[in-house]
């Protein structure tokens, strides 16, 4: 009886093992457990194996298997058996062989795949049983399909001449499955199979080997997969034809004046789409001799005419000499700039640590008024009888207190030019901008007094020092901020744009002293990490390296003072400039400005949060703020700075800590990414990601969450959001209003902090080298500008270069008291430095 019970238990255990998958199933492709007399061809054979599938949005997918002969089929996913209740089984018989046929299907949801997201890929396979053993199917992978919004590289517009090659690059957004790419020309598909003049490379670039006029169009790269269809920005391509001359016509008949001519036309071909006009003359004339023309001999009347003309010319020359002599005598008077020592000291007060008394003016605050011919100053004048005597200002330097008394100084004739100019422009210190608007361009009219142009809220300005424009000339000068796509600045390798692209002009004008262009940059400067170059665009449109920043300039035409947030470019040739950097190590970093914007109010269930990742320069910030102001967005918190390293890692953005009972995110993945190259190149200034949220109830008004922005293996920042979306809030004016941003153009003395006459006295006193060091080199050291003394020394007036740089760095909020203190320290080293001679009185 006991033996029978034991046998029954053995048989029962065998039937259970045949009814469900055994624990610890083997991992080999086919495992046979033969029974006595069993044949190997009775092992299960799969007629249908599971295939790779993609989950689109939230729709579940199905996996199916079919095997014969099979008594059971079960799915195993990522090494774990799928529950029996999730299998849908259908049994039948193969009509041809009579063997049992088994079909099994399971459904896979998005939530199942997301549970192991990031650990490994989700896979499933079938395991079929028969009385002879088991067989495993191939693995089928289940992936969540998506397509990012941003292209890794978009096509750029360009202008090419006819017959040249056109290459439009396109790198589609990241996606699963990988996106297919097609091209549109003016919204019509481009099919290389039908158009032999174009082809598409394996990297998805569209190539036109020989451009035709018909290839002038707007080209768009389109990427699509089963999830979405994305379009790049349109790239306008212009194919132009330079004009060519036709053949010369025949020579005309010889005319009565003994000349004949021939002509040609600029028509083979005619210039098209902005091509250049033909160079040269279209009409040519030559002398000729025939019976129809005559050469009359010179008679007595002609001789008399020539003698009269010579006499008139001699009279004009004599008259001109008389005028020159009179002018020279008038210029023998005193130069008004140094006519009185009180002018030099009128703007200064003694440097003292004690507080100033009531009614006492601050240092460097009085500016001479050149718009009148008579000025009144406080102070004593030198005697004009003893020409050789000298006197010293008290304390032996320029910053001397003025004596008592009241004297009137009359300007002499040499100041007439400056007086006339100031009187004409005194009421026009602020000039209008060109039609593009103050946000992009400003211009003004300047002469030898100099001035300043600035584009409000961008950190971009151009300083034209006094005497940079030759006397007697008036220039109309402009300052322009360019868009990256308009400037066509090529970058190679690890190069990155560090500044805005700025033009000042007109190019080719004569400057006798360097102008100073100020512009922001986003580099975290370290000599060991960066190679920074100043680039200038030539007249032919190519970009050239004109200066290696931080090294001694090869020529005196350019110099760049690089500081923490801005660069100051000295240039004697106006043109289009930009700063381009190349990283020398993976520690090299750029500053990115992070800004969060959201709608000021929301009436629908959807709510969007936009995160901008910008180059940390004021011009880009200005444009984004203006754009969001038009869109009705509000700035959430203060902007943050992120140090983005040259590590080839992308920038990731995610949203967290959002109450799931009130809100849900419509983002398909756990984070968004901006490709490294898009940020590092700097050619796409307004990169951003949008988080689209949905409130579960219309009554939900409060949004509280956190947004994280970080570079993989790098720096990161977080933003806390706590908003009432039902309340219409005003746009956060983080910028200075345009009415308070300053005038785009300042002309003459109003453009400078240092009064003109005091500036001239400092220059004349410090330009001459001094053995005791009381010269411009010490002033540069006091002002922390002594890193490039060789450049200053290469100029005719090193002191003028230092003062010009001080003006560029400290306008409009410069502290003149600090400059005065530095000048005073230099003066203490030589008590005779600022001695005023009788000639200067």
């Amino acid at each position: 009886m006991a033996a029978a019970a034991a046998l029954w238990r053995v048989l029962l255990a065998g039937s259970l093992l045949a009814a469900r998958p055994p624990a610890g199933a083997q991992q080999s492709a086919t495992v046979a457990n033969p029974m006595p007399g069993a044949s190997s061809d009775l092992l299960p054979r799969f007629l249908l194996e599971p295939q790779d599938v993609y989950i689109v949005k939230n729709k579940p997918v199905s996996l199916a298997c079919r095997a014969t002969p099979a008594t059971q089929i079960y799915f195993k996913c990522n090494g774990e058996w799928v529950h029996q209740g999730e299998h849908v089984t259908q049994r039948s018989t193969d009509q041809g062989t009579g063997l049992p046929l088994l079909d099994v299907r399971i459904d896979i949801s998005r939530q199942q795949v997301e549970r192991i997201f990031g650990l490994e890929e989700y896979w499933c396979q079938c395991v079929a049983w028969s009385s002879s053993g088991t067989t495993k199917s191939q693995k089928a992978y289940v992936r969540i399909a998506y397509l990012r919004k941003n292209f890794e590289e978009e096509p750029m517009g360009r202008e090419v001449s006819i017959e040249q090659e056109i290459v439009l690059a396109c790198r589609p957004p990241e996606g699963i499955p990988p996106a297919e790419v097609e091209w549109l020309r003016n919204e019509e598909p481009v099919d290389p199979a039908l158009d032999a003049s174009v082809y598409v490379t394996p990297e998805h670039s569209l190539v036109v080997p020989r451009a035709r006029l018909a290839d002038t169009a707007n080209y768009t790269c389109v990427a699509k997969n089963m999830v979405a269809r994305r379009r790049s920005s349109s790239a306008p391509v212009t194919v132009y034809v330079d004009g060519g001359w036709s053949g010369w016509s025949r020579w005309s008949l010889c005319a009565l004046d003994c000349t004949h001519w021939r002509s040609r036309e600029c028509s083979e071909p005619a210039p098209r789409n902005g091509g250049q006009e033909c160079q040269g003359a279209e009409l040519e004339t030559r002398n000729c001799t025939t019976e129809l023309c005559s050469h009359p001999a010179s008679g007595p009347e002609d001789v008399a005419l020539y003698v009269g003309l010579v006499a008139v010319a001699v009279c004009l020359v004599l008259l001109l000499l008389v005028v020159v002599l009179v002018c020279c005598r008038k210029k023998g008077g005193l130069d008004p700039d140094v006519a009185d020592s009180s002018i030099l000291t009128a703007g200064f007060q003694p440097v003292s640590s004690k507080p100033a008394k009531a009614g006492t003016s601050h240092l460097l605050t009085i500016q001479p008024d050149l718009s009148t011919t008579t000025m009144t100053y406080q102070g004593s004048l030198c005697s004009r009888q003893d020409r050789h005597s000298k006197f010293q200002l008290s304390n032996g330097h320029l910053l001397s207190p003025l004596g008592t008394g009241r004297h009137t100084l009359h300007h002499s004739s040499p100041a007439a030019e400056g007086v006339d100019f100031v009187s004409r422009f005194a009421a026009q210190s602020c000039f209008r901008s060109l039609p593009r608007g103050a946000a992009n361009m400003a211009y003004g009219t300047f002469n030898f007094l100099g001035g300043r142009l600035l584009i409000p809220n961008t950190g971009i300005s151009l300083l034209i020092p006094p005497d940079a424009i030759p006397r007697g000339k008036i220039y109309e000068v402009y300052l322009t901020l360019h868009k990256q796509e308009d400037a066509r600045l090529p970058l190679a390798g690890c190069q990155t744009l560090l500044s805005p692209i700025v033009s000042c002009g007109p190019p080719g004008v004569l400057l006798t002293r360097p102008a100073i262009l100020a512009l922001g940059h986003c580099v975290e400067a370290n000599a060991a990490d960066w190679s920074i170059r100043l680039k200038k665009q030539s007249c032919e449109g190519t970009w050239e390296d004109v200066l290696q920043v931080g090294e001694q300039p090869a020529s005196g035409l350019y110099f760049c003072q690089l500081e923490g947030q801005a660069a100051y470019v000295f240039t004697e040739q106006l043109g289009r400039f930009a700063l381009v950097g190349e990283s020398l190590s993976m520690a090299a970093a750029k500053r990115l400005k992070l800004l969060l914007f959201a709608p000021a109010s929301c009436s629908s269930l959807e709510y969007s949060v936009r995160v901008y990742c910008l180059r940390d320069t004021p011009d880009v910030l200005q444009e984004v703020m203006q754009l969001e102001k038009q869109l009705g967005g509000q700035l959430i918190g203060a902007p943050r700075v992120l140090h983005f390293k040259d590590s080839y890692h992308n920038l990731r953005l995610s949203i967290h800590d959002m109450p799931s009972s009130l809100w849900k995110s419509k983002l398909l993945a756990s984070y968004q990414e901006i490709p490294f190259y898009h940020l590092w190149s700097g050619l796409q200034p307004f990169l951003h990601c949008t988080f689209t949220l949905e409130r579960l109830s219309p009554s939900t008004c409060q949004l509280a969450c956190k947004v994280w922005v970080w570079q993989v293996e790098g720096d990161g920042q977080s933003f806390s959001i706590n908003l009432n979306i039902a309340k219409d809030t005003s746009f956060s004016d983080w910028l200075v209003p345009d009415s308070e941003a300053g005038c785009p153009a300042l002309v003459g003395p109003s453009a400078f902090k240092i009064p003109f006459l005091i500036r001239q006295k400092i220059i004349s006193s410090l330009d001459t080298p001094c053995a005791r060091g009381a010269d411009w080199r010490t002033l540069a050291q006091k002002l922390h500008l002594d890193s490039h003394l060789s450049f200053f020394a290469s100029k005719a007036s090193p002191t003028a270069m230092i003062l010009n740089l001080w003006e560029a760095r400290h306008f409009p909020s410069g502290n003149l008291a600090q400059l005065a203190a530095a000048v005073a320290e230099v003066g203490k080293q030589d008590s005779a430095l600022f001695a005023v001679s009788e000639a200067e009185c």
Side-chain angles (χ1 to χ4, degrees):
M1 192 71 178
L7 179 61
W8 175 253
R9 286 195 297 272
V10 170
L11 293 176
L12 182 59
S15 63
L16 289 176
L17 288 173
R20 63 176 182 267
Q26 299 296 320
Q27 298 300 318
S28 60
T30 303
V31 180
N33 298 311
M35 297 178 65
S39 175
S40 61
D41 55 1
L42 293 181
L43 285 172
R45 179 171 56 90
F46 283 100
L47 304 178
L48 175 66
E49 296 188 72
Q51 304 295 320
D52 294 346
V53 291
Y54 296 95
I55 296 178
V56 179
K57 297 184 179 180
N58 293 316
K59 298 178 181 178
V61 295
S62 297
L63 298 177
C65 288
R66 177 184 299 164
T68 183
T71 56
Q72 296 178 6
I73 297 178
Y74 285 94
F75 274 92
K76 177 185 282 187
C77 295
N78 286 85
E80 296 183 0
W81 294 103
V82 178
H83 193 275
Q84 183 176 359
E86 298 179 13
H87 291 72
V88 177
T89 304
Q90 183 177 357
R91 298 180 182 272
S92 60
T93 302
D94 190 332
Q95 299 296 327
T97 62
L99 296 175
L101 194 64
L102 192 60
D103 289 89
V104 176
R105 176 175 58 83
I106 63 172
D107 291 335
I108 305 296
S109 68
R110 181 188 181 95
Q111 288 74 19
Q112 290 176 266
V113 177
E114 287 181 337
R115 275 199 292 266
I116 63 166
F117 179 78
L119 301 177
E120 59 177 321
E121 289 192 289
Y122 193 94
W123 58 266
C124 295
Q125 67 178 161
C126 292
V127 181
W129 277 266
S130 72
S131 59
S132 297
T134 62
T135 303
K136 294 181 180 181
S137 71
Q138 67 182 11
K139 290 182 178 180
Y141 289 90
V142 183
R143 300 180 177 94
I144 298 175
Y146 68 91
L147 185 63
R148 304 281 189 206
K149 290 185 178 181
N150 297 320
F151 280 73
E152 293 189 5
E153 184 177 5
E154 293 189 290
M156 303 291 289
R158 61 195 61 206
E159 296 179 358
V160 298
S161 63
I162 196 165
E163 300 295 329
Q164 283 191 347
E165 183 184 56
I166 303 174
V167 179
L168 298 177
C170 177
R171 293 167 59 193
E174 178 188 349
I176 295 179
E180 298 177 356
V181 173
E182 65 179 23
W183 284 89
L184 302 179
R185 179 196 287 131
N186 289 340
E187 302 302 321
E188 294 294 330
V190 177
D191 189 354
L194 302 177
D195 187 353
S197 65
V198 300
Y199 66 90
V200 179
T201 68
E203 294 78 23
H204 311 299
S205 296
L206 180 67
V207 180
V208 182
R210 300 180 65 186
R212 308 161 298 176
L213 290 177
D215 294 321
T216 298
N218 291 323
Y219 290 83
T220 308
C221 182
V222 179
K224 60 182 179 179
N225 64 6
M226 61 177 60
V227 178
R229 185 174 186 266
R230 310 290 188 202
R231 290 169 55 99
S232 72
S233 301
S234 293
V237 174
T238 301
V239 181
Y240 60 86
V241 180
D242 292 337
W245 289 112
S246 65
W248 288 101
S249 65
R250 292 184 178 182
W251 287 100
S252 67
L253 297 176
C254 194
L256 295 176
D257 59 352
C258 296
T259 62
H260 62 168
W261 56 268
R262 63 177 181 173
S263 65
R264 57 181 178 174
E265 295 180 349
C266 187
S267 58
E268 295 184 4
R272 297 280 301 276
N273 295 341
Q276 292 185 356
E277 295 287 340
C278 298
Q279 303 296 317
E282 62 180 349
L283 185 67
E284 183 180 12
T285 60
R286 288 183 181 176
N287 294 330
C288 60
T289 304
T290 65
E291 301 81 6
L292 297 178
C293 75
S294 59
H295 295 274
S298 299
E301 297 83 359
D302 295 332
V303 174
L305 176 61
Y306 297 148
V307 171
L309 292 176
V310 171
V312 171
V314 171
C315 292
L316 291 176
V317 170
L318 292 175
L319 179 60
L320 180 60
L321 290 175
V322 171
V323 172
V324 171
L325 291 174
V326 172
C327 291
C328 290
R329 288 187 177 183
K330 290 185 177 181
K331 289 186 177 180
L334 296 175
D335 190 335
D337 291 348
V338 293
D340 194 305
S341 62
S342 61
I343 298 176
L344 302 176
T345 57
F348 291 93
Q349 295 295 330
V351 178
S352 174
S353 59
K354 298 179 181 180
K357 297 180 180 180
T360 303
S361 58
H362 294 285
L363 296 171
L364 294 173
T365 56
I366 300 178
Q367 182 167 294
D369 181 10
L370 297 180
S371 61
T372 60
T373 58
T374 301
M375 296 186 183
T376 302
Y377 294 93
Q378 297 288 338
S380 58
L381 290 175
C382 295
S383 170
R384 299 188 180 275
Q385 297 176 358
D386 185 4
R387 287 285 176 178
H388 301 285
S389 63
K390 276 195 173 183
F391 78 96
Q392 294 191 4
L393 301 177
S394 58
N395 299 328
H397 55 79
L398 187 62
L399 308 181
S400 301
L402 302 178
T404 60
R406 184 178 185 85
H407 305 275
T408 300
L409 175 67
H410 295 273
H411 282 253
S412 53
S413 58
E417 183 181 4
V419 172
D420 178 63
F421 183 83
V422 174
S423 62
R424 285 188 289 112
F425 291 99
Q428 304 181 34
S429 292
C430 298
F431 280 79
R432 64 192 183 281
S433 300
L434 289 180
R436 288 186 62 186
N440 294 313
M441 177 182 284
Y443 79 107
T445 305
F446 303 92
N447 80 341
F448 74 96
L449 291 176
R452 187 187 306 263
L453 284 175
L454 59 92
I455 302 177
N457 295 329
T458 63
I460 299 170
S461 66
L462 178 69
L463 179 74
I464 305 171
D467 291 323
I469 297 175
R471 292 184 178 241
K473 294 185 178 293
I474 295 179
Y475 293 161
E476 184 116 355
V477 183
Y478 64 81
L479 182 64
T480 307
L481 169 62
H482 291 278
K483 294 182 179 178
Q484 278 81 347
E485 57 268 24
D486 297 337
R488 301 186 183 93
L489 174 62
L491 298 177
C494 299
Q495 289 184 339
T496 172
L497 181 63
L498 301 175
S499 73
I501 301 174
V502 179
S503 287
C504 52
V509 299
L510 174 64
L511 293 180
T512 58
R513 294 185 180 182
I516 302 180
L517 176 65
L519 65 165
H521 67 77
C522 63
V523 64
E524 285 296 304
N526 188 326
D529 298 333
W530 284 99
S531 171
I532 302 174
R533 293 178 172 87
L534 176 67
K535 284 184 174 285
K536 183 175 183 287
Q537 193 174 31
S538 66
C539 298
E540 293 78 17
T542 59
W543 285 87
E544 302 171 348
D545 294 341
V546 296
L547 180 68
Q548 176 78 34
V549 178
E551 296 182 0
Q552 296 297 335
S555 67
L557 294 178
Y558 307 99
F559 171 72
C560 181
Q561 173 78 13
L562 189 70
E563 301 189 355
Q565 303 287 332
Y568 301 93
V569 178
F570 288 74
T571 175
E572 296 181 13
Q573 296 180 353
L574 303 183
R576 183 175 295 181
F577 296 93
L579 283 177
V580 172
E582 184 171 0
S583 63
L584 303 179
S585 71
M586 296 182 66
K590 296 174 59 173
R591 294 191 311 274
L592 297 182
K593 185 78 77 175
L594 306 178
L595 296 91
L596 262 66
F597 287 92
S601 62
C602 180
S603 57
S604 64
L605 294 179
E606 285 193 354
Y607 192 74
S608 298
V609 176
R610 294 179 292 277
V611 185
Y612 287 85
C613 305
L614 313 173
R615 182 182 68 229
D616 186 17
T617 54
D619 59 293
V620 181
L621 178 62
Q622 153 82 358
E623 292 198 39
V624 170
M625 298 291 282
Q626 295 297 336
L627 173 64
E628 283 291 336
K629 194 170 186 178
Q630 296 173 5
L631 297 176
Q634 61 172 326
L635 181 65
I636 304 176
R640 308 285 179 85
V641 173
L642 178 80
H643 293 88
F644 190 72
K645 292 186 177 181
D646 183 19
S647 62
Y648 296 98
H649 289 299
N650 297 341
L651 191 71
R652 291 183 177 179
L653 305 94
S654 61
I655 190 165
H656 302 276
D657 299 342
M658 187 170 54
S660 58
S661 60
L662 302 176
W663 294 86
K664 71 174 182 179
S665 172
K666 304 189 80 172
L667 184 65
L668 300 179
S670 58
Y671 56 83
Q672 300 190 62
E673 277 191 338
I674 300 179
F676 168 83
Y677 176 78
H678 287 188
L679 288 164
W680 188 254
S681 70
L683 295 177
Q684 301 183 41
F686 307 133
L687 291 172
H688 69 280
C689 288
T690 301
F691 292 96
T692 303
L693 312 177
E694 183 179 357
R695 46 181 173 169
L696 303 181
S697 171
S699 61
T700 300
C701 298
Q702 201 71 22
L703 172 61
C705 60
K706 285 187 177 181
V707 174
W708 283 90
V709 184
W710 76 100
Q711 185 181 17
V712 180
E713 299 183 7
D715 195 10
Q717 290 284 0
S718 66
F719 293 83
S720 296
I721 300 177
N722 195 341
L723 297 175
N724 186 344
I725 65 173
K727 183 179 179 182
D728 188 358
T729 58
S730 60
F731 182 83
S732 301
D733 289 321
W734 209 72
L735 295 177
V736 179
D738 290 339
S739 60
E740 302 176 11
C743 299
L746 298 172
V747 174
S750 62
F752 304 97
K753 297 286 290 182
I754 307 173
F756 180 77
L757 297 178
I758 295 177
R759 167 192 169 92
Q760 294 302 100
K761 179 58 181 176
I762 297 174
I763 291 173
S764 63
S765 302
L766 299 184
D767 269 349
T768 304
C770 178
R772 290 182 292 273
D775 54 25
W776 62 270
R777 293 169 295 182
T778 305
L779 179 62
Q781 182 181 10
K782 298 294 183 183
L783 298 177
H784 307 289
L785 299 175
D786 53 342
S787 57
H788 293 286
L789 294 180
S790 59
F791 171 75
F792 298 141
S794 67
K795 299 302 176 184
S797 175
T799 311
M801 297 298 103
I802 296 172
L803 296 181
N804 294 342
L805 181 54
W806 186 92
E807 290 275 8
R809 296 170 71 199
H810 295 89
F811 186 87
S813 57
N815 189 337
L816 286 173
Q818 293 180 354
L819 176 61
V823 174
E825 288 294 323
V826 177
K828 287 180 180 179
Q829 300 184 32
D830 188 351
S831 60
L833 181 61
F834 293 112
V836 182
S837 67
E838 176 62 24
E840 293 177 303
C841 293

